Amino acid sequence: MSRSLMAYVLVSAAAAAAFAAAPAFAAGEADSYQGPTPVVSQRSRAEVHAEALVAAQRAADPDTLSRIAAPVKSALTRAEVRQAAAAASRAAQDFSTY
């Protein structure tokens, strides 16, 4: 397909789309936007705040229906973990010389 034919098809399609949209603008339908609608709530700000606090607390708790295990408290101290890591590192360095 030649470039001029492709350009002609593209321009024709754009003109057809513009012509098809013209009746909507002529009928005034494009000017029907009245701005944002006001939000009206039946609950007070304090009720919403209290509900948000409860939801945040429940989000921190592990879900009983989820497949994620609850966090486990370690029996080791931070110092013991560091000592074990240092010992493992030294053992790995000892094997690297062979």
Side-chain angles (χ1 to χ4, degrees):
M1 190 180 249
S2 67
R3 285 189 177 194
S4 62
L5 181 59
M6 286 179 27
Y8 175 75
V9 170
L10 183 62
V11 170
S12 298
F19 184 71
F25 292 113
E29 294 174 6
D31 297 330
S32 64
Y33 179 69
Q34 301 295 324
T37 57
V39 177
V40 179
S41 177
Q42 303 299 326
R43 297 184 300 171
S44 70
R45 184 179 293 254
E47 289 172 332
V48 173
H49 183 67
E51 186 177 315
L53 289 176
V54 169
Q57 290 170 351
R58 286 187 182 158
D61 296 337
D63 187 9
T64 57
L65 298 176
S66 71
R67 295 183 182 183
I68 300 173
V72 178
K73 181 71 176 167
S74 176
L76 300 174
T77 64
R78 187 175 292 209
E80 291 171 335
V81 172
R82 285 185 179 172
Q83 288 174 354
S89 177
R90 283 192 298 275
Q93 288 175 359
D94 290 340
F95 285 112
S96 66
T97 59
Y98 293 109

